Amino acid sequence: MPVQLLNIGKGEYETLLPRHLQKEDLKHLREGFDHTNKYFQGIVALSYPLTKLGDGTDFFKVVLQGLDNLCSQTNSINILIHGKMAEDCAKIIHHGDTFIVAGYKLAKSPTAGLDGRHGCHLELSEEAGSAIYIYAKPRTTAAPETASLSVAPKYVYTPLNHLKDGTVVNLYGVVKFFKPPYVSKGTDYCSVVTLVDPSNVKLTCTLFNGNLDSLPKIYKVGDIVRFHRIKIREYNGQMQGITGVGFASLTFDGTVGAPVVPRSSSKVYTFMDEEQKTIEELRVWAASNLSISGPVAKLSGVRPMLYFDLTCQLVGKAKVDGSSFLLKVWDGTKCPYPTWKVPVEARDLEGEKVVLHQLRNLTVDVLVYDNHVQLAKSLKIGSFLRIYSIHTKQASAVDEDVSHIEFHLHGGTCYGRGIGVLPESNLDVKELKAFLESVDLADSQSMESMSSVELDSTFNNVTDLESYLQRCQQLPVTVLTDHQDLNNTELKTILNSTAPQQYRIRAKLRTYKPQKLYQSIKLHCSKCNSLQEVPDGDDFDFILQGSAVTAPNPELHNTSWYDSVMWTTQDQKQRKIVIHFVKHDEMLQQPEDTLLMIEGGTLKEVWKLTKRFKCVIPVRSTEDDLELLDPSAPFLLQGNIKYYGCKQCSSPKPIKSLSSIAAEQQPSWEPTEIAQVLGIVPLQYVFIMKFTLVDATGALNVYLFDYENFFQIPASEILTNNSLQQKMQMTMNTLCPPGRKLGQIAIILKKKGGGGGGGRKGSFNLPLHMQSLRIQLMHGQNSEQRNAGVCKESSN
């Protein structure tokens, strides 16, 4: 028998090996030596699942640990078994068995430099006359795989700045960079992870395993990993980590406040209560010291020549050719540019036809190449994906003048390129699923983009303005409805004139900035005339978490003008949450008329309250009264809108100042009134954009400063309403079709400031304010498209 199982009895083998065989040490296994009558003996340290090669031959891989110097990083060797021997071994082998091989072929190992094992591997097959002898160690009664130890082992974790060459350690780290698992040059999957910790030392780990599920389940930068039994070696003066015998991993979401739920690479693991503290501490450290905001984008925010990560759902797939594969995905938002539809036969496209048709205006085609094709083929329709480092490219078909955006996932693993499958328990997937369920597919099917597709064929090769205007007689054009008494003025005349003056012009809109329209929303203080960026939602979340550390003051509960309710959460943190309901005439009002204040709540809990109650104010306790949170946090939430105050101009007053409004006959709880009694100078959401207008005589920069009239959309609502963002993008696509830089706008300009130096450079860089501008699209456009917007003159 090529494979023999030999039992151990009373310390001696019941069956002896053939007498002609002589034992060979690991250090003597070298190419060029005769190993015909030799055998090698080791302990089974690792075995991989039985697989089939491309020709259908069974294949089984075992890692043997040498019997001497067990801690050495090169004291293990790969054993590759082919054919029926592979199938027989896979049935009887166990971790810790004594494994003897004879009649083997010695070959150079292609993964030796990465997995840290012997420079050669042993190949065995029945056809080559190989033999395998397995001495099974005594078996104890098997416990269920999920059973836990009665006494959990105590592990010691090594900081990254204390790592030493040649050691095997346990460690914790925050993921700074990673490559999703990919098929290596051998038979294993490989993943590369770069870790950091508070010691400010970086460690790059190269991890191999024949089983994809045995590698760390890392989904994003900022995740926290725990590695057990990882080998450390020094290379070019830098410490590196590689998988060793018994390597195991746990991965945790690195988001502050997220549930501490491990993602394990094995079915059996231990996780002590005190380790949760380690996770929390690393999360807080990473939030302050590590930039973990990767290049994540929604399809509605993409632009040409962008590399980004996309979280999406797979709705269709198809083979394109031998080196590329098509994935049809969506994230519930609409790309603002025409997108490339990869030509494939309908019969080759996998996916539900009804769904593909319903989502035809919301899906994009991602073409994946080379090493990503194998994984792309195995993806299940409906699964949730994170595609890393997608490249958007602007191109035109050979027979078309109209440009479009293409989505490519190039071959290789540079910059972390790859595809990850996210489980439905993932927080990002839960948020995406909830958003996808809220998308109105009827609206998306009728939402035909007002891009350059229909218009550019008519505008093609138009360089003369008069010719352009003549063609516009049969197309949607821009006209001015006010100040008809003014004649059109050439831009050259405006550039050479002194300010202030008022003009009427007719010109093309060549470009606009910012291209990501949501970036045009700023916060403006009318008192100090300052502008600032709208704070990120994560900033607010972090402030709320910090305020939850302060325990509520019971002496501030149930006053004459509000009732208080307090409870303790059932999670491990056992947070204390207090909600103060403001009364009117000593009675609680209906929820839609009620203002409440919350202490200790999370961002998710605050948003839930805003859906039911009119106003929500986050507060915290002091010794004497409730007070507002950090000046960077919103002082009020109403619906989906967060209201902020100016840090420089505001002088916050105690929360008890609100009692004056509560005492009114009919309190309205309007944001401006609340801000006034609390000593807050409110910031107003505004649109800030730069237009470049051109005619035959020159180019002029124009700055838009508007609250809501230009897009017929309140600036305060645009950031929380996807459909309004799409409407805003449609307006700009009409004025300036993407890829063509064509458009026409007629406006009144009041030139402010002194000097005409800008004219000498062919542009004017001082602020220009549009007065009484109304854009109308004529000739059969629908009402929404006809009323593109109004821009009021600003006093700024």
Side-chain angles (χ1 to χ4, degrees):
M1 285 181 62
V3 179
Q4 297 186 46
L5 178 63
L6 308 175
N7 295 322
I8 296 178
K10 297 181 180 180
E12 296 182 358
Y13 297 133
E14 294 182 354
T15 303
L16 300 177
L17 299 176
R19 294 184 178 181
H20 70 278
L21 293 179
Q22 297 180 0
K23 185 177 180 180
E24 186 76 285
D25 292 335
L26 187 64
K27 61 183 178 180
H28 294 141
L29 288 174
R30 300 178 185 173
E31 290 184 288
F33 286 75
D34 185 9
H35 303 284
T36 304
N37 295 318
K38 304 287 186 179
Y39 74 87
F40 175 74
Q41 178 178 341
I43 303 297
V44 176
L46 189 64
S47 62
Y48 295 80
L50 181 69
T51 60
K52 288 187 180 293
L53 300 178
D55 59 0
T57 304
D58 287 326
F59 176 81
F60 187 57
K61 179 178 176 180
V62 180
V63 178
L64 296 187
Q65 190 80 7
L67 301 180
D68 298 325
N69 192 15
L70 293 176
C71 294
S72 172
Q73 61 180 341
T74 56
N75 196 43
S76 59
I77 188 169
N78 294 324
I79 311 296
L80 311 183
I81 309 171
H82 299 80
K84 190 175 186 303
M85 293 183 74
E87 182 181 0
D88 293 341
C89 279
K91 294 178 180 178
I92 60 176
I93 196 171
H94 290 84
H95 183 273
D97 286 349
T98 299
F99 199 89
I100 296 176
V101 295
Y104 50 79
K105 175 184 176 183
L106 192 70
K108 187 174 182 179
S109 173
T111 62
L114 298 174
D115 58 26
R117 297 168 190 153
H118 195 280
C120 297
H121 65 230
L122 305 185
E123 298 179 0
L124 298 96
S125 65
E126 194 169 350
E127 291 74 15
S130 305
I132 297 175
Y133 305 90
I134 301 174
Y135 294 90
K137 68 177 183 179
R139 309 293 179 210
T140 58
T141 302
E145 288 184 322
T146 56
S148 60
L149 298 176
S150 57
V151 179
K154 181 72 174 179
Y155 292 101
V156 176
Y157 295 96
T158 305
L160 299 187
N161 61 337
H162 289 170
L163 299 177
K164 295 182 180 180
D165 182 31
T167 59
V168 178
V169 301
N170 309 315
L171 56 84
Y172 269 98
V174 182
V175 176
K176 186 176 183 180
F177 170 81
F178 74 103
K179 293 183 180 181
Y182 58 92
V183 179
S184 65
K185 293 182 180 179
T187 58
D188 289 353
Y189 287 94
C190 178
S191 180
V192 178
V193 185
T194 299
L195 305 178
V196 292
D197 72 359
S199 68
N200 291 318
V201 170
K202 181 175 67 174
L203 176 71
T204 297
C205 303
T206 305
L207 313 173
F208 287 91
N209 204 297
N211 183 0
L212 180 62
D213 292 333
S214 296
L215 290 173
K217 296 174 175 58
I218 299 171
Y219 299 141
K220 61 184 177 181
V221 171
D223 277 354
I224 295 171
V225 297
R226 187 192 81 176
F227 288 167
H228 276 184
R229 297 172 293 278
I230 186 167
K231 285 185 178 181
I232 304 299
R233 66 176 184 179
E234 186 174 357
Y235 180 75
N236 285 342
Q238 298 287 332
M239 292 298 172
Q240 294 185 345
I242 56 175
T243 41
V245 176
F247 170 80
S249 69
L250 295 181
T251 310
F252 303 85
D253 191 323
T255 306
V256 176
V260 181
V261 180
R263 306 191 288 263
S264 175
S265 62
S266 60
K267 294 181 179 179
V268 181
Y269 64 87
T270 59
F271 184 69
M272 312 297 288
D273 291 340
E274 56 264 30
E275 290 186 77
Q276 178 158 336
K277 182 180 178 182
T278 302
I279 301 297
E280 299 290 0
E281 290 174 348
L282 283 174
R283 284 174 170 178
V284 174
W285 174 83
S288 303
N289 296 274
L290 183 63
S291 175
I292 58 177
S293 55
V296 180
K298 295 284 189 181
L299 291 177
S300 57
V302 301
R303 65 179 187 275
M305 300 308 294
L306 179 71
Y307 288 88
F308 69 100
D309 299 344
L310 176 67
T311 303
C312 56
Q313 185 181 32
L314 179 67
V315 296
K317 63 178 184 177
K319 179 180 178 182
V320 179
D321 53 41
S323 62
S324 61
F325 198 82
L326 166 66
L327 301 178
K328 281 185 173 290
V329 300
W330 77 310
D331 70 356
T333 68
K334 183 173 175 60
C335 178
Y337 298 88
T339 60
W340 181 38
K341 298 302 180 185
V342 179
V344 293
E345 294 290 338
R347 63 176 179 271
D348 296 331
L349 184 61
E350 296 182 44
E352 296 185 23
K353 305 304 179 185
V354 175
V355 175
L356 287 168
H357 179 74
Q358 286 179 329
L359 302 180
R360 64 188 183 278
N361 291 322
L362 293 176
T363 56
V364 298
D365 289 1
V366 180
L367 205 56
V368 305
Y369 298 90
D370 303 333
N371 56 297
H372 308 298
V373 170
Q374 181 177 343
L375 177 58
K377 290 180 179 178
S378 67
L379 297 175
K380 295 182 179 179
I381 302 297
S383 58
F384 292 91
L385 312 175
R386 181 166 286 141
I387 309 178
Y388 301 93
S389 198
I390 296 180
H391 179 207
T392 54
K393 177 183 177 183
Q394 192 164 20
S396 300
V398 177
D399 58 346
E400 297 179 2
D401 294 321
V402 180
S403 63
H404 54 251
I405 276 191
E406 300 175 355
F407 294 81
H408 298 274
L409 179 64
H410 301 295
T413 60
C414 292
Y415 309 106
R417 283 197 291 265
I419 305 173
V421 180
L422 303 180
E424 296 204 10
S425 59
N426 181 270
L427 293 179
D428 293 335
V429 170
K430 290 181 178 179
E431 291 180 5
L432 178 59
K433 286 182 67 176
F435 178 69
L436 296 183
E437 290 170 0
S438 69
V439 174
D440 190 335
L441 297 183
D443 287 348
S444 70
Q445 292 180 48
S446 61
M447 189 199 317
E448 299 299 333
S449 173
M450 298 187 65
S451 64
S452 57
V453 175
E454 294 87 6
L455 304 181
D456 279 355
S457 60
T458 306
F459 295 159
N460 187 33
N461 297 325
V462 177
T463 56
D464 179 72
L465 182 61
E466 291 302 321
S467 174
Y468 173 82
L469 295 177
Q470 289 176 6
R471 295 194 181 192
C472 286
Q473 298 301 318
Q474 292 82 36
L475 292 165
V477 298
T478 308
V479 299
L480 187 68
T481 58
D482 288 327
H483 302 286
Q484 301 293 343
D485 56 306
L486 295 178
N487 294 323
N488 293 342
T489 302
E490 294 180 338
L491 296 186
K492 178 177 68 175
T493 302
I494 299 174
L495 291 168
N496 293 327
S497 65
T498 57
Q501 294 189 51
Q502 186 169 282
Y503 299 98
R504 182 174 188 266
I505 69 171
R506 190 164 188 141
K508 299 178 186 178
L509 175 59
R510 184 171 64 186
T511 60
Y512 63 90
K513 292 181 179 180
Q515 289 291 311
K516 289 184 177 180
L517 292 178
Y518 66 85
Q519 294 178 345
S520 67
I521 309 301
K522 310 294 180 185
L523 290 172
H524 173 247
C525 177
S526 58
K527 186 173 181 179
C528 66
N529 214 24
S530 63
L531 283 172
Q532 68 178 63
E533 297 292 337
V534 179
D536 187 88
D538 292 338
D539 297 336
F540 183 30
D541 192 15
F542 193 71
I543 292 171
L544 288 172
Q545 293 172 30
S547 68
V549 177
T550 304
N553 184 355
E555 295 182 1
L556 302 177
H557 297 180
N558 298 311
T559 68
S560 61
W561 62 284
Y562 62 76
D563 286 342
S564 306
V565 177
M566 183 173 73
W567 70 93
T568 303
T569 61
Q570 298 302 311
D571 56 18
Q572 294 178 340
K573 292 185 177 181
Q574 294 190 321
R575 288 179 295 116
K576 302 237 180 250
I577 301 177
V578 183
I579 296 181
H580 309 282
F581 298 89
V582 177
K583 298 184 292 185
H584 177 60
D585 288 337
E586 298 185 356
M587 298 288 292
L588 294 177
Q589 297 177 281
Q590 293 296 321
E592 60 270 17
D593 300 321
T594 297
L595 178 140
L596 61 83
M597 300 165 290
I598 180 172
E599 291 185 74
T602 64
L603 183 61
K604 183 177 181 180
E605 291 162 348
V606 169
W607 282 125
K608 282 185 177 180
L609 291 172
T610 62
K611 293 179 180 179
R612 185 172 183 188
F613 297 92
K614 181 170 185 177
C615 297
V616 176
I617 299 180
V619 296
R620 62 185 167 204
S621 290
T622 65
E623 292 183 2
D624 304 320
D625 193 8
L626 300 175
E627 68 175 11
L628 296 173
L629 302 183
D630 188 281
S632 299
F635 69 88
L636 174 71
L637 294 96
Q638 193 174 70
N640 291 327
I641 302 175
K642 292 181 282 190
Y643 291 91
Y644 294 90
C646 179
K647 296 180 183 179
Q648 289 79 13
C649 303
S650 299
S651 300
K653 298 178 182 178
I655 292 296
K656 61 185 177 184
S657 304
L658 288 172
S659 60
S660 61
I661 303 180
E664 294 177 359
Q665 185 173 359
Q666 289 184 334
S668 61
W669 300 123
E670 290 302 317
T672 53
E673 188 178 5
I674 293 173
Q676 184 177 3
V677 299
L678 290 178
I680 301 295
V681 176
L683 296 173
Q684 186 167 18
Y685 289 87
V686 295
F687 294 109
I688 301 290
M689 295 186 69
K690 175 184 174 182
F691 295 156
T692 300
L693 306 176
V694 295
D695 66 4
T697 67
L700 184 69
N701 290 329
V702 179
Y703 295 86
L704 170 69
F705 181 95
D706 181 59
Y707 296 104
E708 61 183 58
N709 290 329
F710 183 78
F711 292 100
Q712 296 284 288
I713 299 170
S716 58
E717 298 180 15
I718 195 75
L719 295 178
T720 58
N721 191 313
N722 184 61
S723 63
L724 292 181
Q725 291 183 29
Q726 292 174 342
K727 178 181 176 182
M728 183 177 175
Q729 185 67 61
M730 289 169 63
T731 300
M732 294 313 301
N733 285 352
T734 304
L735 297 176
C736 187
R740 297 294 297 172
K741 295 183 180 178
L742 284 176
Q744 181 191 14
I745 187 168
I747 62 177
I748 297 294
L749 295 174
K750 182 179 291 184
K751 192 172 181 181
K752 302 186 75 173
R760 292 192 296 271
K761 296 182 180 179
S763 64
F764 188 79
N765 292 315
L766 295 177
L768 298 166
H769 299 281
M770 305 176 215
Q771 183 181 26
S772 302
L773 168 67
R774 181 176 299 279
I775 299 171
Q776 289 187 346
L777 304 177
M778 312 298 287
H779 301 296
Q781 300 300 300
N782 63 40
S783 59
E784 179 179 302
Q785 297 167 350
R786 281 198 296 272
N787 295 311
V790 175
C791 178
K792 294 181 180 177
E793 180 185 9
S794 169
S795 60
N796 249 3

